[in-house]
Each structure stands twice: as structure tokens, then as C-alpha cells.
Amino acid sequence: ILIERARRRAQLKNGGNLNRTELTDSIIISPEMDDEILQVHDALEDLERDDPESAELVKMRYFAGMTWEEVSLATGIPDRTVRRRWTYAKAWLKVRLAEN
């Protein structure tokens, strides 16, 4: 049983080529990530001032994990328009974050 378990864990389809790491609080909450989180937060606030609908879309898609259809139903905006705003918001945030 132990050998079969070890073989299964070593198979590529089961992530055999990946290094296993214990998840600890120090990995989840690291000081290096604080700066990134603050930059994304500031950029999202700026986007909200410029285009509140796109900022709301980013929150729904990225943070809430909503699908295109769910966002479309929640906002009443057609699916194609939602996808177009998503493309715009991603580009806007990319440019804004590159400035920092």
C-alpha cells in the first residue's frame, strides 16, 4: 500500500515533478507581498475614480471569482460589454502598476 501510494504521488499527472511544501503563515503572509497588495489596492481605487463600472467588474471577477454570465446577470450588462470592460480594466491596471 505504501509503495503504491508513493508511486501515485510520483506520477506527473499527480504533481510528481512538483516540490511539496508545508503551508505556513509565514508563506501566506509575507512582508514582500504587502507592497504588491497596497499597489493593487491603490490602482484599483484610481480605476474606481476613473471608471467605477470597470472597477466593480474587476472586484466581481478577480476577488469574488464570478463567471462572465454571473457578472452579466448581476449588473444587467451584456456579456460582450462585460468582456470588453474586463479587457480595458486589465490593460488600465497593467499600465498603472507598471508606473510604480
Side-chain angles (χ1 to χ4, degrees):
I1 294 172
L2 293 175
I3 292 171
E4 286 303 314
R5 181 173 182 253
R7 285 184 181 150
R8 240 187 346 265
R9 293 180 102 185
Q11 291 177 345
L12 287 177
K13 71 177 187 179
N14 291 324
N17 62 340
L18 301 176
N19 294 328
R20 297 183 188 277
T21 305
E22 289 295 319
L23 190 61
T24 62
D25 288 340
S26 62
I27 293 172
I28 296 171
I29 304 169
S30 67
E32 295 85 35
M33 291 182 64
D34 288 346
D35 290 337
E36 289 179 36
I37 291 170
L38 290 175
Q39 288 176 353
V40 170
H41 176 58
D42 292 343
L44 196 53
E45 281 184 340
D46 290 346
L47 177 61
E48 196 164 18
R49 279 191 291 272
D50 288 351
D51 188 353
E53 293 85 13
S54 294
E56 189 63 28
L57 168 67
V58 170
K59 291 175 187 176
M60 285 189 262
R61 283 281 299 159
Y62 188 74
F63 295 110
M66 295 173 75
T67 65
W68 298 115
E69 293 78 23
E70 291 171 337
V71 172
S72 183
L73 287 172
T75 59
I77 299 171
D79 185 64
R80 281 187 59 93
T81 304
V82 168
R83 290 173 190 260
R84 215 172 334 165
R85 283 189 178 165
W86 174 252
T87 301
Y88 166 77
K90 284 193 316 184
W92 193 98
L93 288 169
K94 185 177 180 178
V95 168
R96 172 63 169 76
L97 290 170
E99 292 172 355
N100 292 334

